Amino acid sequence: MGDILSLVAKRLGLGLLILFIISIIIFFMVELLPGDIAQAVLGQGATEENVAALRKEMGLDKPAIVRYLEWLGGAVQFNFGNSIVTGESVTATIGPRFMNTLFLATYAAVIAVPFAIVLGIIVALLRNSIFDRVANVATLSAISSPEFFLGYILILYFAVNMGAFPAISSLSEDMGTWELLNRTFLPALTLVLVVTAHMMRMTRAAIINLLASPYIEMARLKGVPPWRVIVKHALPNAWAPIINVVALNLAYLITGVVLVEVVFVYPGIGQALVDAVSKRDFPVVQACCLIFAATFILLNLAADVGAILTNPRLRHPK
Amino acid sequence: MSKKNEVLLEIHDLQIQGYSEERWVDIIKGVDLTLHKGEVMGLIGESGAGKSTIGAAAMGYARDGTRISGGSIEFDGMELSTATEEEKRALRGSRIAYVAQSAAASFNPAHKIIDQHTEAPIQYRIQKRLEAQEDAMQLYEKLRLPNPEEIGFRYPHQVSGGQLQRAMTAMAMACRPDLIIFDEPTTALDVTTQIEVLAAIRDIVDEYNTAAIYITHDLAVVAQMADTIKVLLKGEEVEQAPTEEMLKNPKEDYTKSLWAVRSFKRDQKSRPKGAEPLVSVQNVDAAYTGGDKVLDDVSFDIYEGMTVAVVGESGSGKSTVARCITGLLPPMKGQIQFKGETLPPNYRDRTKDQLRQAQMIYQMADTALNPKVQIREIIGRPAQFYGGLKGAALKNRVDELLDLIELEPSQFYYRYPPELSGGQKQRIGIARALAAEPSFIICDEVTSALDQLVAEGILRLLDRLQQELNLSYMFITHDLATVRSIADEVVVMQHGKVVEQGPKEDMFTPPHHPYTDLLLSSVPEMDPNWLTTLLEERGVDNVGDAASQQIDTDDPKVST
Amino acid sequence: MSIFVIGYYALLLGASCLAAYFNKRSLFMLLFTLTLVSFIIGIVGGVSALWFVTGAAALILLAGMTAYGFREFLVQILPGEASKEFKTAPLTAAFGMFVIFTYLVMGIFAPLIAPHGEAEVIASAFAPADDTMLLGADQLGRDIFSRIVYGTRNSVGLALAATVLAFLLGAIAGLLAATKGGWFDQLMGRIADVIMSIPSLIFALLMLSIFGPSIPVIIGAVAVIYAPRVFRLTRAVAGNVVVMDYIEAAKLRGEGTWYLIRKEILPNSTAPLVAEFGLEFCFVFLLVAGLSFLGLGIQPPTADWGSMVRENATLISFGDITPLIPAAAIALLTVAVNFVVDWMLHRSSGLKE
């Protein structure tokens, strides 16, 4: 077991290191601005005094490295400073929105993950049949479509033509669970479609790869019944690839959510990021980027750790 | 074989197709096969002959991307080509079992060996779990696995390759089947390990009077194992005969070419007196980055115009020595001298002339020649690079080299390597080495991927070139026939050390170092009684791993 | 029960029976599954859903016929070897090539095809379609059809330029890393690791927020984001070639790195690299489309598909599908490229056996 623990610890360490490097990139990239933040925010027409005042307020008179350390120190405690545009605390603005995004992503994942894995396995078992080919064309088309295309088609069909679901997912405090699920159904469905397509293809590839291994052939040639080949011989070795597929797609969800939130005017962190980018509200941009990157790294980390923990060769060392 | 008259398996006009490039192509074109109870049939042929596909078909099984398109397969009165999947499945594991080439890949890494062993007997309700485990341990003991009581409770990756292969044979035996298909079971193993697996397989098949189809490309191995031999070529049968007769009296030209006894033998040259060695390896230690030492104090000399054979098993360090000499792997300690002058350890630091002097010929001509480059450029490049030849002079030089390797220049000038046969490719490899006008060539297993006749042609060519151009060769090989025919001196290596070295005649006359003895005796020979005789001489416990472990490192004959 | 519904099921069932009778197993399975699925769709969605299925089937049939025709056309006009290659190409790949061909023509001859200039205001906002405006006018009164035609140039051109840059950076680094190995390989690998642990859209937004959305910034940002992916693949492909004995032979001859890459490694890795180029183009195209949808791509008044969708999105709530056409154009090209890449990957993996 010592081996496994040290491998996991190493992987965790690496994840932290990468997160640290990314925080440096995110912070110092803003330093590359021509002029500085204060100048950029106030624009060309700003008077010298105004710029100087803003500089002082933002602490730009301190050296970059000091500001970075302060920012990082704050970030670790979920304190990202104040928005330049509204002057409010970034955490207070983003916090609830982040929860909304997490809700949407979870909603989509809960539907997509079991659905896609089951479908992927079925398609892998039926490979080269007509269903496999149809599924191949269908999933390829789904992953080739921009998220906003799928989103608007769903709006057109379900919201405008049928009137079954609202086109805009505005949330309010006093909504019941059913109302909430109903309002967020279309954005979730958009995400489900894209993610399912991705996951099905990856699951199919992983399962076919697995079924081609000599030990599966050996099991078949031992007269093991097909269901037992899958359950007893394929499944114990399939966890690592499946965990990998799930984690990669959850990571994908995190990015895909930005466009979908904009289409459905959903009050999530993606929408906040896009607004901040167009308003050049850098503290918010930095905070959002760091949160997205951290989630992304965390999921990749989970995939790798999962693969390590389910590898029989590592679980039973020599 | 009169007592084995009852027919067990009857295959008639078997046709199998494989799917490639959007259409079905024939890969087995009408093969007949009759196997009696208790008979062992050897299927031999080159890769692509379809032997493994026939082996699977004997179980009514078609691999992914293949289909049985015609003919009949009758196993003990049951027609497998029309049987339902359920019916065929009921035979597999219980009455027909399978032993795959790579045991490491064919055992499921997620389960213990013994659980995989007992899966079939429990499923067929032949034995209860505990009985099946008892039986497995007995089989392990019969197959001479160490710690038979305990070894089954390990996971596959915790057991060595030769042991795993025997555990798989035991697994095939679990239901005491009537027929076992052995699909190249020893190809991935070292010669000294191979021998214990061969002995174990033969004993167990004899003991339970199991019929077997033994698939291999190694003639010497099949001669030990089979009662009858069937030779295949490109999906068709060439001929079939009882082993003795097949070896003594092959009928078809193709078979004769396989069986051809190496007639080529060259007189042994001795070191020129008072001369300094051309290449001198002096006290070399080497290791790959981060790994253990793979060479330990290796020293030997190669004199001008002579051939030194370096023999040893995989992992003995014989290829690493070549990498040290060429400078691909700079040694940690020691040095390589060329004509008395020390070479820079890294090839990047060597001069163009130093690089030119030592050339290499590779084992796999397929990977040694760039498939996307024409022959004229492959051979012409060294001449252009070192000699600065251009235009007509370059073309003349390429023609001259092609003549030298006995290939017609006009026919090969514009061809690409994938269009050539194995022997032709190997000749192109030789021409590329010669184009640099070297004085020393390293030949890395150059004949082991070739048929006997082709291999002999290559050896004759190399010998002729040596005489004409006064070349020195370092021959890396595990094939003793090659050593006998072409070497002047032999260096035996084990675990990165030189265990013995000297003139060839001395190496083939006892007494020598126990490892040399083990290695020499473990290489299968064409004589069908070779294995029996060897086991009688040495005793079953004195082959393979067991014997290697017995070698006393303090033996007085450790160094020469 | 309308005549349409009766005819619909009669046709499907009849075709299923015919397929079964002539032993076309896979066709039968497809038709009969469609029949069963139609029962469900029909009950849930009513007649309009069945019309939708019929329409989709007709569209697929039309696409199939176009693809079949285009493949025959290519087989006829191309010389020997190439024509044989296309004969075995699946219809999806032929369809993909046809679409790519159409986009090329549209992009190159945009000024000739488009009836109006891309920024020309010719009508009132959201004016409906008439004789001079095939698809009506957009929110500023510009001809939507002309803007879509010009958009081919701008959107595809930008994505292509970004892909080429990313590919050059990534491929050169990958080839060098594979050939040289050692610290350079390690360093490049680590850099790629770091860049790839930031989600691509997020990284793009970060860079655009800082440097502002201009064409050079977009191209540069996309290249930085996608070069590591190309690097990884090139490194892996070239890594398989580098271990070959002929590379060792060339190294021991004393050949330089450039010769090794150009003469020995590149000719043996073109097939996977070309396929990868197609795949990267799809990713880049979707990313750029996403950025311009968010208003951070090519800036107005230049016509660009992503921003056109956003600008006219209000029409969708009136049940008008015009804003979806540029989005469909994006999806169609990406699907087409993916179809072709799929075929190429399948072919190169089939040849390895």
Side-chain angles (χ1 to χ4, degrees):
Chain A
M1 284 315 276
D3 268 12
I4 260 199
L5 283 182
S6 76
L7 266 175
V8 170
K10 250 188 214 160
R11 186 63 192 81
L12 284 172
L14 186 68
L16 274 180
L17 180 69
I18 288 184
L19 192 57
F20 177 65
I21 296 173
I22 283 172
S23 75
I24 293 179
I25 294 178
I26 290 176
F27 185 83
F28 284 95
M29 216 148 184
V30 177
E31 297 294 312
L32 289 177
L33 270 175
D36 64 13
I37 303 181
Q39 184 78 54
V41 168
L42 296 176
Q44 292 297 328
T47 59
E48 202 51 44
E49 297 91 77
N50 283 350
V51 174
L54 188 63
R55 264 190 204 134
K56 183 125 185 112
E57 190 194 320
M58 293 173 70
L60 289 179
D61 43 357
K62 288 181 230 168
I65 184 79
V66 174
R67 276 182 289 125
Y68 168 70
L69 289 176
E70 282 175 7
W71 176 73
L72 188 67
V76 173
Q77 303 159 41
F78 300 106
N79 175 14
F80 295 95
N82 294 333
S83 156
I84 302 180
V85 178
T86 62
E88 285 169 27
S89 148
V90 175
T91 315
T93 329
I94 292 181
R97 283 176 164 260
F98 182 57
M99 295 325 276
N100 288 345
T101 296
L102 272 189
F103 166 75
L104 183 59
T106 315
Y107 189 4
V110 166
I111 303 174
V113 171
F115 189 56
I117 287 178
V118 170
L119 277 180
I121 292 176
I122 290 176
V123 170
L125 294 177
L126 293 174
R127 69 181 172 285
N128 293 333
S129 72
I130 190 109
F131 293 105
D132 183 27
R133 286 174 190 226
V134 170
N136 180 35
V137 172
T139 53
L140 205 54
S141 307
I143 61 173
S144 303
S145 309
E147 289 87 349
F148 55 83
F149 182 48
L150 291 176
Y152 281 129
I153 288 183
L154 293 181
I155 291 186
L156 183 68
Y157 197 75
F158 287 106
V160 179
N161 289 359
M162 285 172 58
F165 297 98
I168 289 180
S169 318
S170 52
L171 303 183
S172 61
E173 292 288 315
D174 51 349
M175 277 190 308
T177 317
W178 181 247
E179 178 72 16
L180 184 67
L181 290 179
N182 187 47
R183 285 216 184 158
T184 51
F185 181 73
L186 287 185
L189 186 62
T190 314
L191 287 170
V192 166
L193 284 180
V194 182
V195 169
T196 305
H198 271 290
M199 266 172 113
M200 256 179 82
R201 292 178 76 81
M202 290 163 83
T203 309
R204 175 183 181 273
I207 296 291
I208 285 181
N209 194 9
L210 192 70
L211 290 181
S213 25
Y215 58 81
I216 297 293
E217 174 165 87
M218 189 71 209
R220 291 203 183 116
L221 289 177
K222 260 194 318 193
V224 177
W227 65 267
R228 207 180 140 88
V229 170
I230 299 287
V231 173
K232 191 85 181 164
H233 289 271
L235 212 54
N237 296 291
W239 290 122
I242 287 180
I243 289 175
N244 198 22
V245 169
V246 171
L248 280 181
N249 282 286
L250 291 184
Y252 172 81
L253 259 181
I254 297 298
T255 328
V257 94
V258 175
L259 287 167
V260 173
E261 282 178 9
V262 172
V263 170
F264 292 93
V265 202
Y266 182 85
I269 190 173
Q271 177 89 264
L273 173 60
V274 174
D275 286 347
V277 167
S278 44
K279 288 178 189 149
R280 314 197 82 178
D281 190 348
F282 294 107
V284 179
V285 172
Q286 284 173 327
C288 290
C289 285
L290 195 65
I291 290 173
F292 274 117
T295 322
F296 197 75
I297 291 169
L298 201 67
L299 285 165
N300 280 320
L301 192 68
D304 287 357
V305 171
I308 293 172
L309 291 180
T310 53
N311 184 336
R313 280 170 225 270
L314 291 174
R315 263 198 326 207
H316 312 284
K318 287 197 181 194
Chain B
M1 269 150 271
S2 50
K3 64 178 193 304
K4 296 175 177 173
N5 260 342
E6 219 176 316
V7 172
L8 181 68
L9 177 73
E10 172 102 57
I11 292 179
H12 182 66
D13 193 27
L14 177 68
Q15 289 168 26
I16 298 178
Q17 293 181 322
Y19 195 68
S20 81
E21 291 186 34
E22 309 280 316
R23 62 201 180 92
W24 291 95
V25 283
D26 292 328
I27 47 177
I28 302 294
K29 303 152 189 163
V31 169
D32 297 334
L33 186 151
T34 307
L35 188 73
H36 301 88
K37 285 204 170 144
E39 182 185 358
V40 179
M41 177 182 283
L43 281 187
I44 81 157
E46 327 169 358
S47 64
K51 37 192 202 307
S52 185
T53 314
I54 295 178
M59 309 179 75
Y61 184 77
R63 292 210 161 84
D64 276 340
T66 65
R67 65 175 184 198
I68 298 172
S69 54
S72 68
I73 305 158
E74 199 183 315
F75 176 80
D76 208 12
M78 182 178 156
E79 178 55 51
L80 296 187
S81 59
T82 53
T84 64
E85 202 50 43
E86 270 313 286
E87 289 168 336
K88 283 188 282 191
R89 199 167 58 69
L91 287 180
R92 294 178 190 150
S94 63
R95 301 200 58 202
I96 315 178
Y98 179 77
V99 174
Q101 173 171 354
S102 164
S106 297
F107 270 110
N108 192 329
H111 302 295
K112 288 177 183 157
I113 294 172
I114 205 158
D115 290 338
Q116 302 187 48
H117 181 113
T118 55
E119 192 173 10
I122 294 173
Q123 181 196 320
Y124 290 114
R125 298 178 197 286
I126 296 170
Q127 288 159 324
K128 296 232 162 50
R129 176 173 298 274
L130 283 179
E131 286 167 25
Q133 288 188 351
E134 277 301 311
D135 187 60
M137 291 173 201
Q138 279 171 22
L139 282 170
Y140 294 153
E141 192 166 3
K142 284 206 171 88
L143 286 161
R144 294 185 285 277
L145 280 165
N147 310 327
E149 303 285 316
E150 175 269 332
I151 196 165
F153 294 95
R154 298 195 212 163
Y155 284 87
H157 64 273
Q158 298 169 325
V159 175
S160 79
Q163 292 170 1
L164 215 49
Q165 199 69 48
R166 277 179 282 167
M168 181 145 57
T169 307
M171 183 162 81
M173 269 296 164
C175 297
R176 303 293 183 275
D178 302 302
L179 170 63
I180 302 185
I181 316 284
F182 290 98
D183 193 352
E184 307 242 18
T186 60
T187 307
L189 304 175
D190 268 332
V191 275
T192 51
T193 316
Q194 160 170 291
I195 196 163
E196 60 189 4
V197 176
L198 289 180
I201 290 179
R202 208 171 64 162
D203 285 359
I204 202 109
V205 168
D206 271 355
E207 181 169 343
Y208 295 104
N209 196 28
T210 315
I213 292 179
Y214 196 98
I215 298 164
T216 179
H217 65 275
D218 189 331
L219 302 160
V221 165
V222 84
Q224 311 312 313
M225 310 301 286
D227 303 320
T228 34
I229 296 181
K230 185 191 276 297
V231 182
L232 296 166
L233 177 65
K234 292 178 183 150
E236 279 173 293
E237 177 176 331
V238 179
E239 67 176 306
Q240 178 183 342
T243 304
E244 293 274 345
E245 198 186 319
M246 181 70 105
L247 291 176
K248 273 192 214 126
N249 193 13
K251 289 194 180 54
E252 300 293 322
D253 286 345
Y254 176 70
T255 324
K256 280 181 193 154
S257 80
L258 291 177
W259 259 249
V261 180
R262 217 56 60 93
S263 54
F264 175 66
K265 187 163 193 283
R266 205 192 60 178
D267 288 339
Q268 182 182 328
K269 281 182 254 176
S270 52
R271 295 181 175 188
K273 288 204 176 69
E276 63 171 350
L278 182 72
V279 177
S280 178
V281 180
Q282 295 173 351
N283 309 95
V284 165
D285 283 8
Y288 292 99
T289 30
D292 292 335
K293 227 196 238 182
V294 280
L295 290 185
D296 185 4
D297 199 24
V298 171
S299 306
F300 59 86
D301 295 336
I302 300 170
Y303 284 83
E304 196 175 85
M306 288 183 65
T307 303
V308 173
V310 179
V311 299
E313 298 179 88
S314 64
S316 64
K318 57 188 195 305
S319 299
T320 312
V321 177
R323 293 178 70 82
C324 287
I325 296 175
T326 53
L328 282 168
L329 181 71
M332 292 152 62
K333 212 183 90 206
Q335 56 187 357
I336 315 288
Q337 287 194 340
F338 188 81
K339 288 186 180 159
E341 128 195 17
T342 305
L343 288 176
N346 192 322
Y347 76 95
R348 289 194 176 92
D349 305 325
R350 295 186 185 172
T351 64
K352 233 175 169 178
D353 195 57
Q354 285 170 332
L355 290 171
R356 183 183 64 77
Q357 292 282 352
Q359 291 292 314
M360 208 153 162
I361 307 174
Y362 297 87
Q363 173 181 9
M364 305 301 293
D366 283 328
T367 61
L369 306 179
N370 187 339
K372 304 275 175 165
V373 176
Q374 286 177 349
I375 302 302
R376 67 182 174 97
E377 202 178 335
I378 292 178
I379 302 180
R381 178 66 190 175
Q384 185 193 0
F385 188 76
Y386 294 122
L389 297 183
K390 278 196 190 78
L394 183 62
K395 183 172 191 316
N396 286 340
R397 177 67 181 144
V398 173
D399 286 356
E400 194 182 301
L401 286 162
L402 282 168
D403 272 333
L404 208 55
I405 54 163
E406 299 153 15
L407 293 178
E408 174 56 42
S410 60
Q411 276 182 25
F412 289 92
Y413 201 69
Y414 292 109
R415 307 270 294 274
Y416 287 92
E419 303 164 16
L420 309 186
S421 75
Q424 288 169 340
K425 277 184 233 173
Q426 200 52 283
R427 282 167 191 259
I428 300 294
I430 294 172
R432 177 176 62 189
L434 293 178
E437 300 178 42
S439 52
F440 171 60
I441 298 181
I442 298 172
C443 304
D444 189 356
E445 303 266 11
V446 284
T447 55
S448 56
L450 303 171
D451 283 345
Q452 296 283 355
L453 272 188
V454 183
E456 186 166 335
I458 297 287
L459 289 182
R460 281 180 195 276
L461 173 68
L462 285 172
D463 180 48
R464 205 196 77 214
L465 294 170
Q466 183 169 49
Q467 284 165 17
E468 285 174 13
L469 307 169
N470 196 28
L471 297 167
S472 300
Y473 293 138
M474 173 175 149
F475 243 88
I476 299 171
T477 184
H478 66 271
D479 178 25
L480 293 177
T482 308
V483 178
R484 279 202 189 98
S485 53
I486 201 164
D488 299 313
E489 290 182 9
V490 180
V491 175
V492 181
M493 293 190 65
Q494 185 198 17
H495 304 324
K497 289 189 184 135
V498 174
V499 294
E500 200 171 15
Q501 59 178 304
K504 174 176 66 176
E505 299 299 343
D506 295 1
M507 301 309 279
F508 282 100
T509 29
H512 22 230
H513 186 277
Y515 177 73
T516 314
D517 191 40
L518 176 70
L519 184 66
L520 294 184
S521 64
S522 299
V523 178
E525 288 170 26
M526 217 65 108
D527 173 12
N529 298 317
W530 166 79
L531 183 60
T532 321
T533 325
L534 179 79
L535 292 176
E536 275 166 10
E537 276 174 10
R538 299 192 70 112
V540 285
D541 294 326
N542 197 17
V543 292
D545 287 346
S548 324
Q549 274 156 19
Q550 283 169 22
I551 292 174
D552 185 359
T553 38
D554 298 327
D555 197 286
K557 216 183 158 341
V558 153
S559 57
T560 40
Chain C
M1 274 288 192
S2 69
I3 296 176
F4 166 70
V5 176
I6 296 169
Y8 179 92
Y9 284 111
L11 191 72
L12 266 185
L13 286 169
S16 311
C17 293
L18 275 178
Y21 183 76
F22 288 106
N23 244 339
K24 300 276 183 214
R25 190 171 162 275
S26 53
L27 186 65
F28 167 74
M29 288 301 285
L30 184 69
L31 286 171
F32 205 73
T33 316
L34 193 60
T35 316
L36 294 179
V37 171
S38 298
F39 286 145
I40 302 167
I41 295 182
I43 291 164
V44 175
V47 179
S48 67
L50 292 187
W51 271 115
F52 177 75
V53 173
T54 318
L59 214 63
I60 290 171
L61 199 69
L62 196 70
M65 290 192 308
T66 320
Y68 186 80
F70 191 66
R71 186 175 68 188
E72 279 308 300
F73 177 68
L74 285 179
V75 169
Q76 295 297 331
I77 61 162
L78 287 170
E81 271 301 301
S83 127
K84 233 167 77 187
E85 292 277 338
F86 282 111
K87 237 176 219 163
T88 56
L91 280 181
T92 47
F95 177 72
M97 284 185 273
F98 175 74
V99 171
I100 294 171
F101 174 74
T102 317
Y103 276 61
L104 271 181
V105 171
M106 212 150 86
I108 293 168
F109 300 108
L112 299 178
I113 297 171
H116 304 281
E118 66 179 308
E120 201 181 333
V121 178
I122 55 163
S124 57
F126 297 128
D130 59 30
D131 289 345
T132 56
M133 295 187 297
L134 211 52
L135 299 169
D138 69 358
Q139 86 283 12
L140 295 178
R142 298 169 295 191
D143 179 30
I144 291 188
F145 176 71
S146 302
R147 283 180 68 76
I148 290 177
V149 174
Y150 275 103
T152 322
R153 255 187 191 188
N154 306 330
S155 306
V156 180
L158 177 68
L160 206 59
T163 316
V164 168
L165 187 61
F167 207 78
L168 281 180
L169 288 177
I172 290 173
L175 288 168
L176 277 176
T179 326
K180 286 206 178 268
W183 64 269
F184 182 77
D185 190 14
Q186 291 289 322
L187 179 72
M188 283 299 170
R190 295 293 86 76
I191 292 178
D193 282 350
V194 169
I195 296 182
M196 284 176 71
S197 8
I198 311 178
S200 47
L201 183 64
I202 308 301
F203 200 16
L205 287 174
L206 176 65
M207 285 193 265
L208 287 174
S209 73
I210 294 166
F211 303 109
S214 67
I215 290 181
V217 171
I218 296 172
I219 293 179
V222 168
V224 169
I225 292 166
Y226 282 98
R229 281 157 235 265
V230 182
F231 166 82
R232 279 225 181 141
L233 182 104
T234 317
R235 172 70 189 78
V237 170
N240 286 336
V241 180
V242 163
V243 294
M244 294 288 173
D245 290 336
Y246 55 84
I247 303 290
E248 189 182 305
K251 275 187 184 166
L252 287 179
R253 202 185 302 138
E255 302 281 8
T257 310
W258 180 236
Y259 176 90
L260 285 176
I261 290 178
R262 194 168 48 92
K263 284 287 201 179
E264 309 275 357
I265 299 175
L266 260 189
N268 288 294
S269 26
T270 34
L273 286 187
V274 169
E276 176 67 12
F277 184 83
L279 275 183
E280 285 309 321
F281 173 78
C282 290
F283 288 134
V284 169
F285 192 48
L286 285 178
L287 175 68
V288 172
L291 288 177
S292 44
F293 173 75
L294 296 175
L296 295 163
I298 303 177
Q299 294 301 302
T302 314
D304 171 75
W305 290 341
S307 41
M308 286 174 72
V309 178
R310 180 67 176 285
E311 288 158 4
N312 300 310
T314 38
L315 286 179
I316 293 172
S317 41
F318 303 107
D320 187 348
I321 61 154
T322 324
L324 289 181
I325 294 174
I330 296 168
L332 189 62
L333 181 61
T334 320
V335 173
V337 174
N338 263 322
F339 279 162
V340 178
V341 167
D342 213 33
W343 171 53
M344 289 196 308
L345 285 178
H346 187 77
R347 222 166 42 112
S348 64
S349 73
L351 286 175
K352 268 182 211 147
E353 285 176 328

